[in-house]
Amino acid sequence: MRQSQLLLTTLRDAPADAETASHQLLLRAGYIRMLAAGVYSYLPLGRRVLRNIEHIVREEMDAAGAQEVLLPSLLPAELWKESGRFEPYGKDLMTLMDRHERQFVLGPTHEEAITTLVRGEISSYRKLPVTLYQVQTKFRDERRPRSGLLRGREFQMKDAYSFDTDREGLDIAYNRMFKAYERIFTRCGLNFKAVQANAGAMGGEGGNHEFMALADIGEDTLAVCTSCDYAANLEEAEAGGTWIATNEQEAAQPEAERFHTPGLRTIDQLEQQLQIAPHSIIKTLIYSGDDTLFAVLVRGDHEVNELKLAAAAGVTAVSLADNEAVRAAAGVESGYVGPVGLKLPLIIDKAVAAMETGIAGAGERHYHLQNVVPGRDFMLERVADIRNAAEGESCPKCGKGVYHFHKGIEIGHIFKLGTRYSEKLGAVYLDASGRNKPMIMGCYGIGISRLLAAVAEQSHDDEGLLWPEELAPYQVHILQLSAKDQEQAVLAEALYNELNRAGIGTLLDDRDERPGVKFKDAGLIGIPVVLVVGKSAGEGKVEYWDRKSGTKEVITSAEAVSRITEE
């Protein structure tokens, strides 16, 4: 491509609302343009990178035995209601009515559609297992789109679905996809980590992993062991520590004693005014879940993990009770509620159960209790890991390493769905004995457009983008510094034609622009190799600029072509 003909406009400055490096650079370098909040157009350079990502994904999916299909974006709402996801998905679901008043969903994901397709095509165990995938546009009505392509309302995804006759087959498909994902993200040049995660709205009956690109702007926090290979999203990370299940504590501890704490309601206030450590405080919170109130006990230096809590409580979701509900249930405002004598079910974190003694609310305004002993002053009936893991604490898996926290961008997620969708949507097969059984499903998603942004977030320098070779829109960028210099024109054309004949994607900057503009744009665009055709053109020499390393050296054009074709 000749740059004089390319639809490309670079920007000196990024728009004020572009906060992340990837968003700024993709806009400035002319890869994307915003049409509406969370909705983007891809210019030629951006589309070429997107196609390169899709090519890698398709190669690895095909190599893993998956078959490509294409499902509609427009999905009947009845399917979503049949699967039970229409209401729980909430306002994130984009819906519309056709002229016949039939309701449709713009697909954010395609479990219902693929299950319906397979239900109609496969009826016997002889046609299983099968794995199908697609590359498709998805829609989600984000309340607050941000960070460019990282959180949009319209986005590109690859989703794959496996169908098996048993759990062993699902395990095989899952492991095959796990390895394919590792290859995909490695080929994309990403620094990534696979972590245990929460299934969220996808649900399922087995394990799931998120693949996270490590980046400071990531919305997810990852807990990674410094010794073993354990890693998990903070939502799922197992907290360290152990406890001994007993409600018969030794009586050696003094009796619980009430003391005056006027106006001291928060952990920070108790710590500062009374000079006590937060880990010695038992924090009592009142939660609601499925119209039931219960009390939750965590240490003062720990935070409740609401996903873990919901699982421990056996409810779909939890939320903190409001002040009115707290007063009605505990007889006192938040901050003075304590477990002793409280007439509510208790769910107790393991770290609280392991405490010898602690300070807790007295159930009376302006008062707390000291010398509170778990198992003596309140029963340890429901003890679970219901808190967020803390950075620096021991890994519960190996006991040797400690947790180190990283920020990450989710770029892929794989799930063992089991029979959640096949049972509800009737995707069954006849086994060898002639009995109907539900198919065992897995689901495997990759955010294609998110990948583009995640790579840009990790791969850039002060000058601009630094595309890995397999993703770059072109492999070589030739800068003809003077459009009017005949020697430069001859050498630039010769290089351009020779590299194109060798099958190497080449962009020739033949514009009538100042050299400074050409260098600035080349730095922004981020093509791996830049060949500068300047004053040494008459000697058959060019400057070879390796964008990633930043090294520049003057070599002959023949050496440049040889090096590029060999690499």
Side-chain angles (χ1 to χ4, degrees):
M1 172 59 68
R2 298 176 187 275
Q3 203 162 331
S4 59
Q5 300 169 8
L6 179 65
L7 179 60
L8 171 64
T9 304
T10 56
L11 308 176
R12 183 184 297 260
D13 299 304
D17 60 348
E19 298 177 353
T20 63
S22 58
H23 193 192
Q24 293 172 357
L25 290 170
L26 290 171
L27 287 168
R28 289 185 59 210
Y31 283 77
I32 61 173
R33 291 290 183 261
M34 187 174 79
L35 181 64
V39 180
Y40 290 86
S41 300
Y42 296 87
L43 279 72
L45 290 181
R47 181 60 186 134
R48 288 180 71 91
V49 176
L50 207 62
R51 285 179 60 188
N52 289 338
I53 295 172
E54 292 171 4
H55 176 72
I56 291 172
V57 168
R58 283 189 168 98
E59 276 196 345
E60 295 299 344
M61 286 295 102
D62 293 346
Q67 304 172 57
E68 185 171 5
V69 296
L70 183 60
L71 302 169
S73 293
L74 197 61
L75 310 174
E78 286 81 3
L79 276 180
W80 279 69
K81 292 173 182 177
E82 192 177 345
S83 72
R85 285 209 297 175
F86 188 82
E87 292 298 334
Y89 223 92
K91 293 183 178 180
D92 285 347
L93 204 60
M94 283 193 173
T95 61
L96 57 105
M97 290 284 187
D98 70 6
R99 66 178 65 193
H100 304 292
E101 296 300 311
R102 291 177 296 210
Q103 192 174 25
F104 285 83
V105 169
L106 285 175
T109 181
H110 279 72
E111 284 70 32
E112 288 80 3
I114 195 71
T115 306
T116 302
L117 176 68
V118 171
R119 177 182 69 190
E121 300 297 321
I122 296 178
S123 58
S124 168
Y125 75 96
R126 297 182 186 276
K127 290 191 174 183
L128 295 173
V130 66
T131 299
L132 306 173
Y133 78 95
Q134 66 165 347
V135 177
Q136 175 65 285
T137 301
K138 309 282 185 157
F139 304 88
R140 180 173 53 220
D141 197 359
E142 285 283 353
R143 181 178 181 180
R144 192 165 62 89
R146 57 194 181 277
S147 303
L149 301 180
L150 290 176
R151 187 158 292 279
R153 304 173 78 202
E154 177 181 311
F155 49 96
Q156 303 297 312
M157 271 198 71
K158 185 283 303 177
D159 44 351
Y161 303 90
S162 63
F163 296 83
D164 282 275
T165 58
D166 52 35
R167 304 282 171 173
E168 291 75 15
L170 172 59
D171 289 343
I172 292 170
Y174 188 90
N175 292 333
R176 187 181 296 127
M177 286 294 115
F178 189 101
K179 292 175 182 176
Y181 274 39
E182 288 185 320
R183 292 192 296 270
I184 288 168
F185 300 135
T186 298
R187 288 178 65 180
C188 287
L190 281 166
N191 179 17
F192 68 95
K193 191 79 176 176
V195 302
Q196 294 182 17
N198 185 272
M202 295 292 295
E205 303 163 356
N208 70 96
H209 286 85
E210 284 176 329
F211 289 80
M212 312 293 292
L214 304 184
D216 291 339
I217 64 146
E219 295 179 330
D220 293 277
T221 300
L222 320 178
V224 180
C225 177
T226 57
S227 181
C228 71
D229 61 358
Y230 180 73
N233 193 303
L234 189 59
E235 294 176 339
E236 285 289 306
E238 186 178 337
T242 58
W243 68 286
I244 300 172
T246 177
N247 285 302
E248 299 176 357
Q249 299 286 355
E250 293 294 329
Q253 296 290 347
E255 291 295 317
E257 181 181 354
R258 175 174 166 271
F259 66 106
H260 196 210
T261 53
L264 305 184
R265 295 179 53 194
T266 69
I267 300 298
D268 286 344
Q269 289 170 339
L270 290 167
E271 179 185 8
Q272 293 169 13
Q273 295 295 321
L274 302 181
Q275 299 296 301
I276 56 177
H279 63 74
S280 67
I281 301 171
I282 299 171
K283 183 165 53 177
T284 306
L285 303 166
I286 309 298
Y287 270 86
S288 173
D290 292 354
D291 299 322
T292 301
L293 289 178
F294 46 88
V296 176
L297 307 187
V298 292
R299 262 181 17 192
D301 58 334
H302 292 158
E303 297 297 327
V304 173
N305 182 311
E306 294 188 349
L307 288 171
K308 291 182 181 179
L309 176 59
V315 298
T316 54
V318 297
S319 60
L320 276 169
D322 58 32
N323 289 329
E324 185 177 340
V326 171
R327 287 193 188 95
V332 69
E333 63 197 90
S334 297
Y336 298 111
V337 180
V340 180
L342 186 62
K343 305 300 184 184
L344 281 175
L346 299 180
I347 300 179
I348 303 154
D349 183 64
K350 291 193 300 182
V352 170
M355 294 172 69
E356 291 186 4
T357 182
I359 294 170
E364 181 182 354
R365 201 159 181 252
H366 301 312
Y367 284 90
H368 280 76
L369 292 174
Q370 58 188 353
N371 304 323
V372 174
V373 177
R376 182 193 71 182
D377 298 317
F378 58 87
M379 299 296 286
L380 302 177
E381 293 180 349
R382 298 176 71 182
V383 178
D385 172 15
I386 56 170
R387 69 174 175 90
N388 285 331
E391 188 164 22
E393 73 180 357
S394 296
C395 171
K397 296 299 182 182
C398 70
K400 298 177 182 177
V402 297
Y403 278 144
H404 183 59
F405 283 3
H406 301 269
K407 288 290 186 179
I409 300 166
E410 182 186 346
I411 49 176
H413 204 159
I414 60 178
F415 306 80
K416 291 182 180 180
L417 296 176
T419 59
R420 170 173 177 175
Y421 296 93
S422 56
E423 284 186 339
K424 290 185 177 180
L425 297 170
V428 298
Y429 68 94
L430 284 174
D431 68 8
S433 303
R435 294 174 298 181
N436 274 329
K437 289 185 177 180
M439 299 180 196
I440 311 297
M441 292 177 59
C443 172
Y444 319 94
I446 287 179
I448 301 287
S449 48
R450 264 187 161 236
L451 259 181
L452 189 154
V455 172
E457 194 65 41
Q458 286 190 352
S459 301
H460 66 269
D461 61 10
D462 292 340
E463 295 190 66
L465 296 160
L466 295 170
W467 292 112
E469 185 177 319
E470 280 204 78
L471 299 191
Y474 297 94
Q475 278 66 56
V476 179
H477 195 174
I478 300 173
L479 307 188
Q480 181 185 331
L481 294 189
S482 173
K484 298 180 175 64
D485 187 294
Q486 190 60 30
E487 289 183 331
Q488 291 185 27
V490 170
L491 182 56
E493 284 290 330
L495 281 168
Y496 179 66
N497 292 327
E498 188 170 0
L499 290 171
N500 280 326
R501 283 195 298 269
I504 294 165
T506 306
L507 177 64
L508 170 60
D509 191 346
D510 58 342
R511 298 173 298 163
D512 188 9
E513 289 282 2
R514 291 177 287 108
V517 172
K518 296 190 175 190
F519 278 113
K520 190 74 173 176
D521 285 351
L524 263 178
I525 293 169
I527 292 170
V529 174
V530 180
L531 299 182
V532 183
V533 181
K535 294 179 179 179
S536 301
E539 304 170 33
K541 293 183 178 180
V542 297
E543 183 179 69
Y544 189 102
W545 179 14
D546 185 315
R547 278 287 289 118
K548 186 172 184 179
S549 67
T551 59
K552 298 178 181 180
E553 57 180 316
V554 176
I555 58 177
T556 67
S557 61
E559 288 174 319
V561 171
S562 177
R563 183 182 300 182
I564 290 166
T565 52
E566 285 175 7
E567 290 179 354

